[in-house]
Amino acid sequence: MVHDTGPPDRHIGGVSGKRGGRPIEEETPTMSNQVLTILRDAVDATCVLTDPDVMTGYVRDWTGRFVGRTAAVVRPANTAQVAAVVQACAQHEVALVPQGGNTGLAGGGVPTRGEILLSLRGLSDILQVDVAAGQATVGAGVPVGVLREAASAAGLGYGVDLASRDSATVGGTVATNAGGLRVLRYGDTRAQLLGVEAVLGDGSVVSHLAGLARDNTGYHLPSLLAGSEGTLGVVTAVRVRLTPATRARAVGLIGLASVPDAVAAASLLRNGLPGLAAAELMLPPGIDLVMRACRLSPPLRGTHAAYLLVEVTGDAPGEDGAGGNGPLDILADAVAGLPGVADASLADDRPGREALWAYRERHTESINTCGTPVKMDVTVTPDALPSFVEAVPAAVRAVAPEASTWLFGHVAEGNVHVNVTGAAGVGERVEDTVFRLVAERGGSISTEHGIGTAKRRWLPLNRSPAEIAAFRRIKQALDPAGILNPNVLLPAL
Ligand code: 2HG
Ligand code: ZN
């Protein structure tokens, strides 16, 4: 038995060399000390943090819904140290939870069962920005925003962007296969990956960072590790593709007569505008909340049944392409041809664009002001999306009459963020209700944030017994001691 298998919020277990060791409730201070000795032997002792005040920031997620405990936070400074920690943990069957910027929203980076917390933030070097190849190699602990700045300094871009860019690490976004705001244009994190370096569950290091754009020499480990949520390996470095520089961009916030109009408008824009980079749906309660929480004035005249935030990139006005029109003109023409548009505000200067994006990007922090949210990120097909958006609030009210439901998301992919506040004590009933609505429509219960600890019991709604059995065999092969994030993704046996 791996030493983490007590109920949530239990402290780290002991050390035993044999499988099927004692349950965690038999933990003693001596056993915790043994674990600390093993970790200090594996890395520089200064990398093993045990001060409760320091550890607080690592054992609690950003929303406050997932709160764990650990005997130690280990912060290795390089891949060799990560390998030493994993190897020692494997040898002594001590479970660990890898963590990047601790911005995860599904509880996958929190030691809910007293696992050792392995923080990758110390692997924070930009190792190479290779302009000739249009690629970069970075340590797993580099924040996404720092990678984006490094790319931009070299006249290039990085396709993944998200509101938590300053904290979320590249390694964490690989582990969750984060999507973010521009999946429509550039794909998810998996689509950026040309190589990874990772430590597998036995402490061995696999590294394939040459970045060859074509390479069919066997299994594509980057694809497997992306979205594996730290259950198969600890990502220590990645090789990613960079994107061409964006010369000009325009953003529009559009008020529409109905959710079906907004969904239809997003499809029309996606199919008609090659430069469309983002299409985000928002609803009146969310816009009102953001205005109150962030003290913003109304973005448009009046209130509208649905709001669409769109971004278009392209050549600067007067440059070749699009007959010399810049993205602002292109967007204005396109918006004029959409059905159901009641009002719109467009901007192509940076402050104007950022002001419009704020109504969308600040949803998450604004929702947190209403209490600890139950967060779901689901996807349904575009034709099912309007009925889903309509059905969710009533379905939530049926199990949590006092709760508030907040819906927004990446509409071009059918990805809806369902946030529910005021559902203390009935969070799992809310999740069950919403996930069943999703499954009835053939959708995915986890689109962006991962399965984590939060959704593992519902994985069978989306994955067949044969698929889950295959997942378990892969896990067993890459993590034979079962020490890597053992309480996330796969349903408990
Ligand atoms: C976003 O799209 C993030 O802003 C967070 O995925 C969504 O807060 C959420 O539920
Ligand atoms: Zn999102």
Side-chain angles (χ1 to χ4, degrees), residues 180 360 410 415 417 448-449:
R360 167 61 183 85
H410 317 290
N415 180 182
H417 292 309
E448 234 195 340
H449 306 154

PDB file of all heavy atoms in Angstrom, residues 180 360 410 415 417 448-449, ligand 2:
ATOM      1  N   GLY A 180      -7.217  27.267 -22.262  1.00  0.00           N
ATOM      2  CA  GLY A 180      -7.093  28.713 -22.188  1.00  0.00           C
ATOM      3  C   GLY A 180      -7.920  29.426 -23.238  1.00  0.00           C
ATOM      4  O   GLY A 180      -8.884  28.876 -23.777  1.00  0.00           O
ATOM      5  N   ARG A 360     -14.301  39.362 -19.283  1.00  0.00           N
ATOM      6  CA  ARG A 360     -14.221  37.901 -19.369  1.00  0.00           C
ATOM      7  C   ARG A 360     -13.174  37.324 -18.420  1.00  0.00           C
ATOM      8  O   ARG A 360     -13.438  36.413 -17.651  1.00  0.00           O
ATOM      9  CB  ARG A 360     -13.917  37.502 -20.826  1.00  0.00           C
ATOM     10  CG  ARG A 360     -13.500  36.050 -21.011  1.00  0.00           C
ATOM     11  CD  ARG A 360     -14.579  35.068 -20.574  1.00  0.00           C
ATOM     12  NE  ARG A 360     -14.122  33.695 -20.693  1.00  0.00           N
ATOM     13  CZ  ARG A 360     -13.419  33.048 -19.765  1.00  0.00           C
ATOM     14  NH1 ARG A 360     -13.093  33.645 -18.624  1.00  0.00           N
ATOM     15  NH2 ARG A 360     -13.050  31.799 -19.971  1.00  0.00           N
ATOM     16  N   HIS A 410     -15.620  29.069 -23.371  1.00  0.00           N
ATOM     17  CA  HIS A 410     -14.979  29.114 -24.690  1.00  0.00           C
ATOM     18  C   HIS A 410     -15.975  28.551 -25.710  1.00  0.00           C
ATOM     19  O   HIS A 410     -15.922  27.366 -26.068  1.00  0.00           O
ATOM     20  CB  HIS A 410     -13.692  28.305 -24.640  1.00  0.00           C
ATOM     21  CG  HIS A 410     -12.884  28.560 -23.385  1.00  0.00           C
ATOM     22  ND1 HIS A 410     -12.234  29.749 -23.154  1.00  0.00           N
ATOM     23  CD2 HIS A 410     -12.651  27.791 -22.287  1.00  0.00           C
ATOM     24  CE1 HIS A 410     -11.612  29.692 -21.966  1.00  0.00           C
ATOM     25  NE2 HIS A 410     -11.864  28.517 -21.434  1.00  0.00           N
ATOM     26  N   ASN A 415     -17.179  24.742 -24.898  1.00  0.00           N
ATOM     27  CA  ASN A 415     -16.668  24.568 -23.515  1.00  0.00           C
ATOM     28  C   ASN A 415     -17.327  25.593 -22.590  1.00  0.00           C
ATOM     29  O   ASN A 415     -17.125  26.797 -22.733  1.00  0.00           O
ATOM     30  CB  ASN A 415     -15.149  24.763 -23.562  1.00  0.00           C
ATOM     31  CG  ASN A 415     -14.441  24.613 -22.218  1.00  0.00           C
ATOM     32  OD1 ASN A 415     -13.240  24.785 -22.160  1.00  0.00           O
ATOM     33  ND2 ASN A 415     -15.142  24.309 -21.148  1.00  0.00           N
ATOM     34  N   HIS A 417     -17.859  26.868 -18.691  1.00  0.00           N
ATOM     35  CA  HIS A 417     -17.464  26.809 -17.281  1.00  0.00           C
ATOM     36  C   HIS A 417     -18.718  26.974 -16.451  1.00  0.00           C
ATOM     37  O   HIS A 417     -19.381  28.014 -16.517  1.00  0.00           O
ATOM     38  CB  HIS A 417     -16.456  27.902 -16.964  1.00  0.00           C
ATOM     39  CG  HIS A 417     -15.135  27.670 -17.632  1.00  0.00           C
ATOM     40  ND1 HIS A 417     -14.467  26.476 -17.536  1.00  0.00           N
ATOM     41  CD2 HIS A 417     -14.379  28.453 -18.429  1.00  0.00           C
ATOM     42  CE1 HIS A 417     -13.348  26.539 -18.231  1.00  0.00           C
ATOM     43  NE2 HIS A 417     -13.270  27.719 -18.793  1.00  0.00           N
ATOM     44  N   GLU A 448     -10.910  21.170 -19.522  1.00  0.00           N
ATOM     45  CA  GLU A 448      -9.776  22.068 -19.407  1.00  0.00           C
ATOM     46  C   GLU A 448      -8.999  21.869 -18.127  1.00  0.00           C
ATOM     47  O   GLU A 448      -7.783  21.913 -18.106  1.00  0.00           O
ATOM     48  CB  GLU A 448     -10.303  23.514 -19.411  1.00  0.00           C
ATOM     49  CG  GLU A 448      -9.652  24.327 -20.431  1.00  0.00           C
ATOM     50  CD  GLU A 448      -9.888  25.804 -20.228  1.00  0.00           C
ATOM     51  OE1 GLU A 448     -10.822  26.231 -19.541  1.00  0.00           O
ATOM     52  OE2 GLU A 448      -9.090  26.534 -20.791  1.00  0.00           O
ATOM     53  N   HIS A 449      -9.688  21.691 -17.034  1.00  0.00           N
ATOM     54  CA  HIS A 449      -9.017  21.736 -15.728  1.00  0.00           C
ATOM     55  C   HIS A 449      -8.583  20.362 -15.244  1.00  0.00           C
ATOM     56  O   HIS A 449      -7.921  20.267 -14.221  1.00  0.00           O
ATOM     57  CB  HIS A 449      -9.947  22.375 -14.684  1.00  0.00           C
ATOM     58  CG  HIS A 449     -10.449  23.723 -15.096  1.00  0.00           C
ATOM     59  ND1 HIS A 449     -11.618  24.261 -14.640  1.00  0.00           N
ATOM     60  CD2 HIS A 449      -9.940  24.647 -15.954  1.00  0.00           C
ATOM     61  CE1 HIS A 449     -11.804  25.449 -15.176  1.00  0.00           C
ATOM     62  NE2 HIS A 449     -10.803  25.700 -15.985  1.00  0.00           N
TER      63      HIS A 449
HETATM   64 ZN    ZN B   2     -11.307  28.138 -19.372  1.00  0.00          ZN
END
